[in-house]
Amino acid sequence: MKPISVTLTCLLALAGCQATPDRLPQAEPAPSATCYFPSSSANTQTVLRQSVAVLTEWGFELDSTDTSLGLVSASREKALHGYYDPYDNAYGYGRGMRMFGGFGIGRGSGIGIGLGFGGGLNHQPIEVERVSLLVGDRDVRISRDLRRYDHSGDLRESYSASNDDFCRRFQAVLQQTSTPAGNAP
């Protein structure tokens, strides 16, 4: 009985030390105010169709849609030629060729040369840009983020890209209902 009560007392004491976060996670940086704008049409389906047309013209591929909710998600990828982190061990200075060896007291010594080649053929860093639109009865909300992956597919950078420039261009093209969807950003 005694070991159980000591264990229980220790667990209760440790449970009191548990800290809870003081705030919920926030988008860093915060989305621009221009990413929330009034709809150019009273018909939600029309705005959804126009939004899909703009995104596909700009090179995005649709990931998912839910017309009943007014939601569209799209993404596009591009290769990042020459992208690497010089402070990362996987890339480091002098990448590709390494020399190693050692000397010690006694009868032996050694020197070695090692060669290494990147992640393989056709493996290159990429940037994935994702855009989500929420079209309501009277307004449109845009959310955009960028993620950069290294040659082995590991996530290296991720941030919110719901900036003023992208949202203004999207809004301007969306409001041009009588002309084609415009040029890529």
Side-chain angles (χ1 to χ4, degrees), residues 19-81:
T20 58
D22 58 348
R23 68 180 179 105
L24 293 173
Q26 306 264 329
E28 304 288 341
S32 172
T34 56
C35 293
Y36 178 76
F37 55 89
S39 178
S40 59
S41 172
N43 187 351
T44 303
Q45 298 302 317
T46 302
V47 176
L48 281 171
R49 278 194 300 277
Q50 291 170 343
S51 298
V52 168
V54 170
L55 289 172
T56 54
E57 184 172 323
W58 285 1
F60 287 89
E61 293 180 11
L62 291 180
D63 293 332
S64 63
T65 59
D66 188 338
T67 55
S68 63
L69 294 176
L71 182 65
V72 173
S73 295
S75 64
R76 65 180 170 185
E77 292 182 5
K78 73 176 181 178
L80 296 174
H81 301 289

Side-chain angles (χ1 to χ4, degrees), residues 33-156:
T34 56
C35 293
Y36 178 76
F37 55 89
S39 178
S40 59
S41 172
N43 187 351
T44 303
Q45 298 302 317
T46 302
V47 176
L48 281 171
R49 278 194 300 277
Q50 291 170 343
S51 298
V52 168
V54 170
L55 289 172
T56 54
E57 184 172 323
W58 285 1
F60 287 89
E61 293 180 11
L62 291 180
D63 293 332
S64 63
T65 59
D66 188 338
T67 55
S68 63
L69 294 176
L71 182 65
V72 173
S73 295
S75 64
R76 65 180 170 185
E77 292 182 5
K78 73 176 181 178
L80 296 174
H81 301 289
Y83 176 80
Y84 72 96
D85 183 357
Y87 301 107
D88 186 5
N89 291 335
Y91 299 105
Y93 294 108
R95 64 182 172 179
M97 183 171 178
R98 303 268 190 241
M99 292 188 68
F100 60 91
F103 294 100
I105 299 175
R107 295 186 177 190
S109 64
I111 275 194
I113 297 177
L115 294 173
F117 299 99
L121 299 175
N122 296 325
H123 291 114
Q124 60 187 5
I126 60 168
E127 179 180 80
V128 178
E129 180 180 2
R130 295 182 181 163
V131 174
S132 294
L133 297 171
L134 182 61
V135 179
D137 293 334
R138 289 178 257 160
D139 54 19
V140 177
R141 293 178 187 232
I142 301 174
S143 173
R144 176 176 168 244
D145 69 83
L146 293 174
R147 295 179 182 184
R148 291 184 176 159
Y149 297 90
D150 66 7
H151 72 285
S152 16
D154 294 331
L155 179 66
R156 291 295 173 185

